[in-house]
Amino acid sequence: MPRPVTYTPRPSTGSSPWAPPQQGTFPAPRGNPAATLSLVLIALGLAGGIATFWWLDAAYPRIAELARVAVAVVVIAAMVLAVVAVVAAQRRSTHLAPAVIALVVSVLLVMALIAWFVLQLLDAGAVTAILDSVGL
C-alpha cells in the first residue's frame, strides 16, 4: 500500500515574506515618552496659569478667560497622559518615577483648577442666584 501524501514545508531562510518575524530586531524603547510629554504639558500649564494670573487678568480680561480654558485643557491632557505613562511603565520595563510624579502633580493641578472654578462661581454669585431661584 502506498504511503499517504503529506505536506512538508520548506525550511525558511528568513527572506520569504511569509517567514515568521525574527525576534529581537527592534531595540526596546528607552524612557517613557508619555511621562515626558506629560511633564512638559504640566510645565506649560503652570507657566500659562501664572502668566494668565499676573499679566492677562489686568491687561486683557477677555483673552484671560480663553487662556484659563486653554490652561485647563492642557492640564487635563497632562493628567490623561500621566495615566497612560503609568500604564506604559507597568507594562514595559521603563522607569516608573517620572510617570508617578507626572500623575501626582497633574492630579493636584486638576484639583486646584476645580477649586478655582468653584471659587469663581461663588464669587460671581451664580450659586446664590441658583439657590434663590429654587427657593432655598
Side-chain angles (χ1 to χ4, degrees), residues 53-118:
F53 181 72
W54 273 327
W55 180 62
L56 281 178
D57 272 341
Y60 306 103
R62 294 276 189 204
I63 296 175
E65 293 174 13
L66 293 174
R68 279 190 221 101
V69 172
V71 166
V73 168
V74 167
V75 170
I76 290 171
M79 188 178 75
V80 170
L81 276 172
V83 171
V84 169
V86 168
V87 171
Q90 288 293 321
R91 295 182 65 87
R92 295 187 284 143
S93 61
T94 60
H95 295 289
L96 187 62
V100 171
I101 290 170
L103 184 63
V104 168
V105 172
S106 63
V107 166
L108 289 175
L109 284 176
V110 167
M111 288 171 48
L113 278 173
I114 290 171
W116 187 80
F117 281 125
V118 167

Side-chain angles (χ1 to χ4, degrees), residues 5-20:
V5 177
T6 58
Y7 172 73
T8 54
R10 189 175 57 153
S12 175
T13 60
S15 61
S16 168
W18 295 282

